[in-house]
Amino acid sequence: MYLADRGSAPSTSAAPGSRRAVPGRRPGRRAGSALSSTVLVLGTVSLITDISSEMVTAVLPLYLVAELGLSPLGFGVLDGVYNGVSALVRLVGGRMSDRGGGSGHKAVAVVGYGLSALCKPLLLMVHSLPLIGAVLAVDRTGKGLRTAPRDAMISLAAEPGARGRAFGVHRAMDTAGALCGPLVAFVLLRAAADGYDAVFMVSFCVAVVGVVVLLLFVPRRATTATEGTVAAGPAVVAEDAADVRPTAVAEDAAESAPAGPRAPVRALLGRPEVRRLTGCAVLLGLTTLSDSFLYLTLQRRLDLPVTWFPLLPLGTAAVFLLLAVPLGAIADRIGRRRLFLAGHLALLCAYGLLLVPSAGGAALVCAVLALHGSFYAATDGVLAAATADAVPEDVRGSGLAVVQTGQAAARFVCSIAFGAVWTVWGDHTAVLAATVGLALAAVVSARLLRRAGTPPSPASPSEQAS
């Protein structure tokens, strides 16, 4: 792993359209082989924070359903709140961070991480459904505030042609925390007399450590990928970002005026690439089951013991961890939209396995969790990287928030609808409806993204070295 060497700016005397030398890069070496220290530190913050949050997430479904006796519909509402409230504030977080200039991204992220940390001990003090829902809403508000500015800092610290890899590294570190969190929760549930209370309190302590690392080690101002280098011309940008279609660039130039830090959502959605990505994220999000529902379906299908339930997310996290970086690099090569759609096909296969009557046992669990992890590795950071390609730097936080808000709001609706169908007709019918819906959404999304054109051919080795 290399750290980016941000040297002094080179001479700008290169001929227009030619490939200019960048300090610290060997001839013939692709841009983006170096990785900014900002990406690594933000990955560390996410790793620590995910240990905290996944400890709670791993036990929360069982706590609400088994301990409090919630119906699937009641759980669906709370799960929708847990996953959807962040959608209401992501735009706020993105806009606030953009207005704050270079230092605004970190400031808003600190507020978001801190707010979520404070909610962990509050779960010890509330026991009624409305109060638990309120605490979860505040926790998700913190997540909504921090997500867009954090991703904006990552995109600004990565070179355009390596954004998929940068987000893949961050998501891999984030997922390492998601892998550890359920393990800690599993140990605490088996070892502590008041297992749930122990999980919530330890989660709070870990979250505080994450906030401290963010405050001390993340630069106040995000370093852009072009600082210390010559900004690449249009030909280089098109070559490095395999996702940027020529027709989309022309549409952006013709239909979109330059957006400033206070650009409204309408102006961002006026950019064709942002509009397409948001539409696809919404369509696919409407049929994407939350992790909690998928794990509950597996648990009921196999009648797993309660104490083993927190281990189910480990399968998803392990596959995500293994595939996030390589799939991010593949997305940089073949196109981020293509991989984004391929990830949803993996999720469709996971749904299909849940519907097979004869499937069961450890093989079913392994297959479903492997496909679920592959889905996240191929979509989570890849969508953020694709969005970063379509949005100018000065509104990067807002642009990321627009797409993420559409996706989160759609998943909020999906959670409530899935819980309602499960309550009325049973879990098998609910999974079948989600499977059919996802298949249709994937077809429509493929047609929508195909209108963006075909990616330019990768540069030959001789062109890279010139």
Side-chain angles (χ1 to χ4, degrees), residues 106-122:
K106 178 180 177 179
V108 175
V110 168
V111 173
Y113 279 106
L115 195 60
S116 293
L118 291 175
C119 287
K120 301 300 188 294
L122 292 180

Side-chain angles (χ1 to χ4, degrees), residues 17-22 25-31 235-236 238-240 456-466:
S18 65
R19 199 161 183 76
R20 304 174 205 178
V22 177
R25 185 195 303 168
R26 286 188 292 234
R29 188 174 174 182
R30 289 288 292 172
V236 178
E239 180 183 307
D240 282 343
S457 301
S460 64
S462 60
E463 291 173 327
Q464 294 175 18
S466 64

Side-chain angles (χ1 to χ4, degrees), residues 40-50 113 210-211 213-214 218:
L40 299 178
V41 176
L42 286 170
T44 302
V45 173
S46 292
L47 185 154
I48 296 170
T49 302
D50 242 40
Y113 279 106
V211 176
V213 172
L214 176 63
V218 174

Side-chain angles (χ1 to χ4, degrees), residues 294-450:
L294 187 137
Y295 301 144
L296 281 174
T297 302
L298 270 177
Q299 192 268 338
R300 293 198 174 195
R301 172 88 180 264
L302 302 176
D303 196 24
L304 294 175
V306 169
T307 54
W308 290 94
F309 184 83
L311 296 183
L312 289 178
L314 294 182
T316 297
V319 176
F320 192 174
L321 177 63
L322 290 173
L323 297 182
V325 176
L327 287 184
I330 290 173
D332 290 334
R333 291 176 176 272
I334 70 171
R336 290 151 193 161
R337 296 168 183 81
R338 292 174 180 171
L339 195 65
F340 180 69
L341 290 174
H344 283 85
L345 292 180
L347 183 63
L348 185 64
C349 293
Y351 290 176
L353 288 178
L354 291 175
L355 295 172
V356 178
S358 59
L364 174 66
V365 174
C366 293
V368 170
L369 296 181
L371 289 167
H372 196 223
S374 300
F375 156 71
Y376 275 120
T379 60
D380 191 16
V382 171
L383 178 61
T387 305
D389 292 337
V391 181
E393 288 186 5
D394 57 347
V395 287
R396 185 66 52 78
S398 298
L400 287 163
V402 166
V403 178
Q404 293 167 353
T405 295
Q407 183 182 59
R411 291 183 178 181
F412 170 80
V413 173
C414 180
S415 288
I416 296 177
F418 186 84
V421 174
W422 185 338
T423 301
V424 177
W425 291 292
D427 59 333
H428 186 274
T429 301
V431 173
L432 178 61
T435 303
V436 174
L438 181 57
L440 294 175
V443 172
V444 174
S445 296
R447 293 176 62 87
L448 184 62
L449 292 180
R450 192 178 301 154

